Amino acid sequence: MTAIAIAPFLAAPEEVAQTLQVDADFKVFLALAVKSSGTAPADVNLLAARFRVVNGRQGARDDLALHDTVSAWGQPVSVGELIAACQIVDRTRLIHSLWRLETFEEVKLWLKAVRAVVRLGYELDGELRGQVLLAETIIPMVETVERKDYVLPNGDMASDAITRNLGIRAKVFALDRDRRTPRSASGNSIMDRLSRTLSKGNR
């Protein structure tokens, strides 16, 4: 498995570490993203996990193993390949690569490079489960916000439907608020722009 597609988005580990030390905005974003992302793939044995893969067009498939094949962008791909970026790339570094993007187009390209996001956790029965959400399902939701529609075709609010995993929802709505707020205005930091998202995350 490789995660080569995400490589152009990644800063050097040293740069990420320095940003974490000196940038309060990134610290807030990282804390929010980690809180919403479940157990880090690097901390568990993924071979023992069972996965649920959600595809906006084909619905969901349950009880999949890492080697099982699903369809993404119309092509067969294993669950392991889908979540390779989340598995191989350090989580802080991956979240940083999203945080520093500046446009909706960049976010969509980032999602295509990531391919899918996974949220891992242990169920009451002790089994490790992973919820996998494909980029092709997330991108149309991002485009809805980009068009300033905010309501998905099924009637759901994009602010509720876009995944919080890795800070994706927070980033999308930070970009949305940023374009509606003059750069010279006070209170334009990510900490201010994420205030509503933070409030939702604590409910």
Side-chain angles (χ1 to χ4, degrees):
M1 294 183 295
T2 65
I4 193 170
I6 195 63
F9 292 91
L10 300 174
E14 297 78 12
E15 180 182 341
V16 177
Q18 182 179 16
T19 303
L20 185 57
Q21 287 182 348
V22 303
D23 197 310
D25 286 351
F26 177 54
K27 289 180 183 178
V28 171
F29 185 87
L30 178 63
L32 176 65
V34 168
K35 179 181 179 181
S36 304
S37 300
T39 303
D43 294 340
V44 296
N45 176 16
L46 293 180
L47 291 174
R50 307 304 294 180
F51 297 91
R52 183 175 194 264
V53 178
V54 179
N55 182 313
R57 292 177 301 177
Q58 300 175 347
R61 290 184 60 192
D62 291 297
D63 204 33
L64 299 172
L66 205 61
H67 59 78
D68 284 329
T69 298
V70 296
S71 177
W73 300 107
Q75 299 295 322
V77 59
S78 72
V79 174
E81 290 174 308
L82 273 179
I83 65 172
C86 294
Q87 178 184 1
I88 296 171
V89 180
D90 173 76
R91 178 180 277 184
T92 298
R93 194 178 179 202
L94 188 59
I95 291 170
H96 175 269
S97 71
L98 172 64
W99 171 77
R100 67 180 187 158
L101 301 180
E102 297 182 349
T103 67
F104 287 101
E105 190 60 34
E106 288 177 345
V107 170
K108 289 186 289 183
L109 290 172
W110 181 90
L111 284 166
K112 288 180 181 179
V114 171
R115 304 181 80 176
V117 295
V118 59
R119 182 182 176 92
L120 292 158
Y122 287 95
E123 301 288 339
L124 293 176
D125 59 7
E127 293 292 327
L128 178 63
R129 303 284 180 179
Q131 302 287 330
V132 180
L133 185 60
L134 301 183
E136 64 185 279
T137 297
I138 304 170
I139 289 172
M141 301 182 187
V142 175
E143 290 175 334
T144 299
V145 177
E146 185 179 16
R147 294 192 303 267
K148 302 181 182 179
D149 288 342
Y150 307 109
V151 180
L152 302 177
N154 65 1
D156 290 344
M157 297 297 296
S159 57
D160 296 324
I162 296 177
T163 181
R164 292 188 179 101
N165 206 337
L166 299 180
I168 293 171
R169 182 192 301 183
K171 182 62 184 181
V172 168
F173 282 94
L175 287 174
D176 179 56
R177 287 189 289 276
D178 190 49
R179 67 181 173 183
R180 293 187 279 112
T181 304
R183 289 285 183 181
S184 60
S186 60
N188 195 38
S189 72
I190 285 180
M191 294 174 71
D192 293 313
R193 287 182 273 135
L194 294 185
S195 60
R196 283 183 290 173
T197 306
L198 283 166
S199 296
K200 288 181 180 179
N202 291 326
R203 285 188 303 191

